[in-house]
């Protein structure tokens, strides 16, 4: 069987874990890495791969895992789709997903390829659980409680604030879907803590949550890749559903991206969120075997 | 918007709950009931519906919920598909699902309709969770722990044993996916307890589990509709996933059948298990709205 040829676009935290997931997958092979500089830049695990600066420099790519910050995902995905390459990403700004999907749907169809957006764990696999629970208990309310753990999206957003040298944003669950954001920041020499704190709190990532900004000398003691979710739906007639997980945040994102890459090759042209994709398409191997084992 | 016209075939425990779920659904309407006798038989809630003995006697049916015992599901579903009506069922004999799906796939395609098999909660929604967790943590083992609660499939199987007047089969979790079956039976006058117990233990439903058969005068004290699941996957690197639910067994089955009926109208001709269907298709309403709310 031909393996699925997967390019990794962007080689930050998520890109590195996505590469590991692709390497572990029995039916996928890495077709190359796209980095702005176009070089491996000291990452020795990239020695065996083509590292280029533009997706069009790689040959026979079936699907690209776009591991870029959410704010850049749209443009990078479009470049890939226009090059005739299917894509997956982990765009994580919940309020922007529906619009991004609609915009990319047109581009994907026009180029005869598929795009899977927001394929991380939330949005992503948690979304699938939320959709399933909404079907099982139509009357009820779902609460998604995150953490404690580092939020990658919030950490990237905090790091992007002027005056911030380094930062980490820890999500602390306060129950019933309410969270506190604890942001630990190392300041640039000239930066003022109050102004930086105000800028972080005004960022769309933080504006709707209780956010505390603490200036520290080093974030190491506050940083962690461990994360978790407790997703609860209580319905009529005493129904109760609970989904819990304790995972490594960037590693699980990389794993889901590798699964979504497989699924992308199985969808008709267009743009999809994970709830629009048959779960079986995420899995490697023969469909009949999967049905026998898992159904 | 035109509502989906759903027939209920079989009006036992599941059929009654399926009707309630159809009546509660904003986008579905009951198109009639199919019962062997072709009459309402004292069920006053059926007064407002056509009750017939053959699916072909009902007009404009989009999809039939086949609420028959698993052993009869195949033949009943085929009758509906041959009549040009899509179907859903909750066939629950795990070892027979792949073969049933393959057999019905051909019939469904030939008649240009869709069939969703094994659309209860296990097999069914639990299968979706198992598929999702297998994708999230490729290395690991999933345990599905049932109960305590009444198993409908096992109860029907026990009641079908000669010499049994009434029975209920309670599933008791013993951990790591191992279960004990406690079968409470009321005997026919001439029946011998030992022979009945041996026949139950030899039944394919019970043969692979530790089964205890207890002869009682009345099953009422042992019967319950409450049921539950604790589904656990432990993966590499300390990953842990847990899905728990506490539900009403036949009511949740009826609800999932009503959701699968909706999904059946959205699939191309063929036969599907729930893991082959996009979760969003289970939900009523506009896809864009669902994405905005749940993704």
């Amino acid at each position: 069987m031909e393996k699925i040829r997967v390019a990794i676009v962007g080689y930050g935290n998520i890109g590195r874990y996505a590469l590991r997931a692709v390497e572990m997958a029995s039916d996928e092979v890495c077709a190359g890495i796209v980095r702005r500089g176009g070089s491996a830049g000291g990452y020795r695990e990239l020695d065996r791969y083509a590292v280029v600066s533009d997706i069009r420099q790689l040959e026979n790519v079936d699907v690209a895992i776009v591991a870029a910050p959410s704010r850049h995902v749209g443009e990078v995905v479009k470049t890939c789709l226009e090059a005739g390459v299917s894509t997956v990403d982990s765009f994580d700004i919940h309020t922007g997903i529906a619009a991004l999907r609609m915009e990319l749907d047109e581009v994907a169809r026009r180029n005869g390829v598929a795009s899977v957006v927001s394929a991380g764990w939330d949005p992503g696999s948690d979304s699938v659980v939320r959709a399933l629970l909404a079907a099982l208990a139509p009357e009820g309310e779902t609460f998604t409680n995150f953490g404690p753990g580092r939020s990658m999206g919030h950490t990237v957003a905090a790091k992007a604030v002027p005056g911030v040298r380094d930062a980490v944003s820890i999500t602390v669950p306060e129950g019933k879907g309410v969270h506190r954001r604890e942001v630990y920041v190392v300041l640039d020499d000239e930066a003022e803590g109050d102004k930086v704190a105000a800028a972080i709190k005004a960022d769309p990532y933080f504006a709707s949550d209780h956010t505390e900004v603490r200036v520290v000398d080093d974030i190491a003691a506050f940083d962690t890749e461990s994360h978790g979710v407790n997703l609860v739906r209580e319905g009529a007639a005493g129904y109760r559903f609970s989904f819990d997980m304790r995972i490594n945040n960037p590693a699980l994102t990389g794993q889901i991206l590798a699964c979504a890459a497989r699924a992308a090759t199985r969808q008709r042209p267009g743009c999809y969120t994970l709830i629009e994709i048959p779960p079986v398409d995420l899995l490697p191997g023969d469909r009949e075997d999967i049905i026998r084992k898992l159904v």
Side-chain angles (χ1 to χ4, degrees), chain A residues 8-21 35 43 45 65-69 90 121 150-153 155-156 159 167-168 219 223-227 248-255 257:
Chain A
I8 313 275
V9 183
Y11 201 66
N13 204 16
I14 299 294
R16 285 195 286 279
Y17 277 107
L19 176 59
R20 285 190 216 174
R35 301 189 74 205
Y43 290 110
E45 71 271 22
I65 292 178
V66 174
S90 56
W121 54 268
R150 175 178 58 165
S151 163
M152 293 183 289
T155 295
V156 170
K159 281 182 179 174
V168 61
I219 62 162
D223 202 5
T224 173
E225 288 193 334
S226 176
H227 213 319
N248 175 302
N249 185 354
L252 182 60
T253 305
Q255 170 60 25
L257 284 166

Side-chain angles (χ1 to χ4, degrees), chain A residues 31-101:
Chain A
I33 312 288
V34 181
R35 301 189 74 205
R36 228 172 319 177
S39 76
Y43 290 110
R44 294 184 58 184
E45 71 271 22
L46 298 187
D47 284 354
R48 72 187 116 156
Y49 298 117
V51 182
V52 298
S53 62
D54 189 310
I55 185 79
R56 287 162 288 201
Q57 295 169 270
L58 295 174
E59 280 175 25
N60 299 324
V61 178
D62 295 312
V63 52
I65 292 178
V66 174
S70 285
R71 288 156 208 234
H72 300 306
V73 158
E75 56 179 306
V76 178
V77 165
K78 264 185 256 177
T79 307
C80 296
L81 297 177
E82 299 279 10
V85 173
S86 290
T87 64
V88 303
D89 66 67
S90 56
F91 180 84
D92 73 347
I93 305 168
H94 285 262
T95 51
I97 295 169
L100 178 68
R101 169 183 167 280

Side-chain angles (χ1 to χ4, degrees), chain A residues 184-199:
Chain A
Y184 298 88
V185 294
V186 181
L187 296 176
D188 282 335
D189 290 340
E190 307 297 314
E192 293 173 40
D194 288 356
K195 284 187 183 165
V196 165

Side-chain angles (χ1 to χ4, degrees), chain A residues 104-114 269-272:
Chain A
L104 295 178
D105 190 57
E106 189 275 319
V107 184
R109 284 171 195 266
R110 180 155 40 79
N111 288 280
V113 289
C271 184
Y272 304 83

Side-chain angles (χ1 to χ4, degrees), chain A residues 72-233:
Chain A
H72 300 306
V73 158
E75 56 179 306
V76 178
V77 165
K78 264 185 256 177
T79 307
C80 296
L81 297 177
E82 299 279 10
V85 173
S86 290
T87 64
V88 303
D89 66 67
S90 56
F91 180 84
D92 73 347
I93 305 168
H94 285 262
T95 51
I97 295 169
L100 178 68
R101 169 183 167 280
M102 191 168 283
E103 184 187 349
L104 295 178
D105 190 57
E106 189 275 319
V107 184
R109 284 171 195 266
R110 180 155 40 79
N111 288 280
V113 289
S115 176
V116 183
V117 295
S118 302
W121 54 268
D122 204 317
S125 52
D126 281 359
S127 315
V128 173
V129 176
R130 283 192 288 268
L132 188 65
L133 297 189
L136 269 49
E139 304 291 324
E141 196 170 359
T142 301
F143 295 105
T144 307
N145 303 294
F146 297 103
R150 175 178 58 165
S151 163
M152 293 183 289
H154 290 81
T155 295
V156 170
K159 281 182 179 174
V161 168
V164 173
R165 180 179 298 159
D166 202 359
V168 61
S169 178
I170 304 296
T171 302
V172 182
E174 294 185 329
K176 293 253 177 196
V178 175
H179 301 90
R180 182 171 75 248
R181 310 288 178 178
E182 294 184 354
V183 189
Y184 298 88
V185 294
V186 181
L187 296 176
D188 282 335
D189 290 340
E190 307 297 314
E192 293 173 40
D194 288 356
K195 284 187 183 165
V196 165
I200 289 172
K201 290 179 184 182
D203 187 281
Y205 265 95
F206 297 96
S208 60
D209 291 326
H210 170 200
T211 299
E212 290 180 10
V213 179
R214 293 170 195 170
V215 175
V216 296
D217 293 331
D218 189 333
I219 62 162
F222 308 100
D223 202 5
T224 173
E225 288 193 334
S226 176
H227 213 319
V229 160
N230 163 236
L231 200 157
V232 176
R233 185 170 183 89

